[in-house]
Structure formats: structure tokens, C-alpha cells
Amino acid sequence: HGKPGRVVLMGNSMGGIIGALIAERHGEVYDAVLAAGAAIRLDVKHGPLSLNFDPKIPILFLTNRSEIDGPRDYVERSSQATVPAALWRVDRDGHVNVNDPERLAAIRALEHYLDHGELARHKDGTIAVAANSTARFFENRAEGTIAGVTANHGNIFTSLVPADLEQLGIEPGDHFLLTVGEHTVQVLLGSNYGDVERGEWIGIMRAEGVLMIARNRESACKTLACAMGSTVVISPLPGHAGQ
């Protein structure tokens, strides 16, 4: 398509801090940076990850409320920069737990800045997405399907939505049973991978409005021998008060 007239970088997690470093050091090459869930480390004083808080192009941090400290501090320390950074808070917990409408709104805001020089430095960037239930219920179980798997970590995206867990009486902080084929595991309904120890199971309601199943530092899909379209069944633990 020829040489691009404008390049906006988008980085998640570690990619977010890489984007910030690029904004500080290579502003002549790129035009703007969207950093989602940026793993900002302000205590690095020397070396390749040391920040100078003087971006040469706009940075917009799109950050969940549970990991906002680093990006917020960066925005404060860069307030005197030629191009101050912006922080849009997403009002849900998790790591890079943002959806496509939120990313698109942030990208459009950066484009508006490049066109008009205006960018809201602090904003609620939350755009709620509601997914309809397609689950099948049998007594105290809900049955859904595997709708997606992340290639790098083996996390499983199910078709189950918050209303399905609510109908079963499963609340954040509760454990529940997950069955895929011949495998049954106990899962914590939490908000971040760090809520469980290495090798343990975590269920997270993603910004897209569906339940994701992960195994901390392991592949959930490989462990369960899962495949796209496979049936998943969740149920409360025996004796759970919500039954």
C-alpha cells in the first residue's frame, strides 16, 4: 500500500512499556502510542528499561483500575513534557482486560490529537459490552462451548457470561468446578492471574463479557486437551451456599 502517512503503535503489558520507551527515544519514526495494561516500572534507574518521562509523541495509557499506579505516576511525572501523556482508566480489574471498543476509542482520540492537538489527559475509558447467554442449564450446571484459545498462553475463552454464573450462585472469590471432556478442575473466580499460585486455575470475566479460564504459568487448553467448539460445563462446589 506504499509508505504509511501515520503510524500509531499499540502495546500490551510489557509492550506498553516498550511503547513508552519508543515514544521517548524514537519520536521521529512514529506518531503516537496506545499502551494497554502497561507494565510500567518506575524504579528502574539505569539500563534499557529506564524511563526519562519526556515523550516526544503522545502516549495514551489504557489501564485497568487494579494496576493503575505505574501509568498514573508516569503521567504525573511527564506533566511538563512537550507532549504530556494521558491516562484513561478502565473501571474493571484485571491485566490488559480491555475490549475492542475501548481500544478503538483510544486510537481515535490519539488521531484527534494528531489532527487537532487536543487529548483528554484523564478520562473514564470504560465501554461496557454485554454478551447474551447461550448456556444450557441442567440442575446446578451450566453448559457452554470453547469459543477461542490464546495461541501464546493457552487461555480458554468460553461462551459463558456473567449471568450464567449468577444463576448458579457463583460470585467473585468463589471456587467452582469446570469440566471439559474427561477432565474436571477446580477454578477460582478472580480478576487476575496473581490471585492463584503457579499451576492453579483462575476464571476471569473478560472485558468482552465472557468467562476466560486460565492456568497460572501453564496452558489451560493443553492440560484439558481442549479444542475449539468443545463443550465446557461449570457447576458450584458441592455444598456451595448459592445452590
Side-chain angles (χ1 to χ4, degrees), residues 10-17 34-39 95-96 98 103:
M10 181 170 69
N12 300 326
S13 191
M14 185 183 292
I17 189 172
L34 171 59
H95 180 54
V96 199
V98 298
R103 294 178 194 271

Side-chain angles (χ1 to χ4, degrees), residues 64-221:
N64 294 108
R65 63 192 178 197
S66 55
E67 50 186 19
I68 202 167
D69 292 347
R72 179 179 56 205
D73 292 345
Y74 184 98
V75 170
E76 292 176 356
R77 294 177 68 170
S78 67
S79 61
Q80 302 303 313
T82 305
V83 185
L87 174 62
W88 286 18
R89 181 180 184 269
V90 177
D91 194 23
R92 72 177 67 89
D93 293 333
H95 180 54
V96 199
N97 194 9
V98 298
N99 56 42
D100 286 344
E102 291 162 347
R103 294 178 194 271
L104 181 58
I107 290 171
R108 286 176 171 166
L110 288 169
E111 288 206 306
H112 182 81
Y113 174 85
L114 295 172
D115 290 332
H116 304 286
E118 301 171 349
L119 176 65
R121 293 195 61 219
H122 296 276
K123 182 177 176 178
D124 183 352
T126 311
I127 300 176
V129 174
N132 295 324
S133 174
T134 59
R136 298 171 293 278
F137 286 87
F138 306 92
E139 298 179 351
N140 65 330
R141 299 175 297 154
E143 182 181 289
T145 59
I146 294 177
V149 178
T150 61
N152 51 349
H153 296 115
N155 298 338
I156 298 169
F157 286 84
T158 76
S159 62
L160 300 168
V161 302
D164 300 331
L165 276 74
E166 292 172 6
Q167 185 166 333
L168 294 173
I170 301 172
E171 301 178 347
D174 290 344
H175 285 84
F176 61 92
L177 296 178
L178 169 80
T179 300
V180 178
E182 299 178 353
H183 302 275
T184 297
V185 295
Q186 183 171 301
V187 183
L188 171 70
L189 183 59
S191 60
N192 213 330
Y193 306 108
D195 291 342
V196 296
E197 299 295 328
R198 180 166 186 163
E200 294 184 354
W201 295 80
I202 182 79
I204 298 172
M205 279 299 173
R206 291 293 303 174
E208 297 84 0
V210 297
L211 175 67
M212 183 188 77
I213 303 296
R215 190 179 179 198
N216 192 357
R217 303 293 184 90
E218 304 286 347
S219 171
C221 187

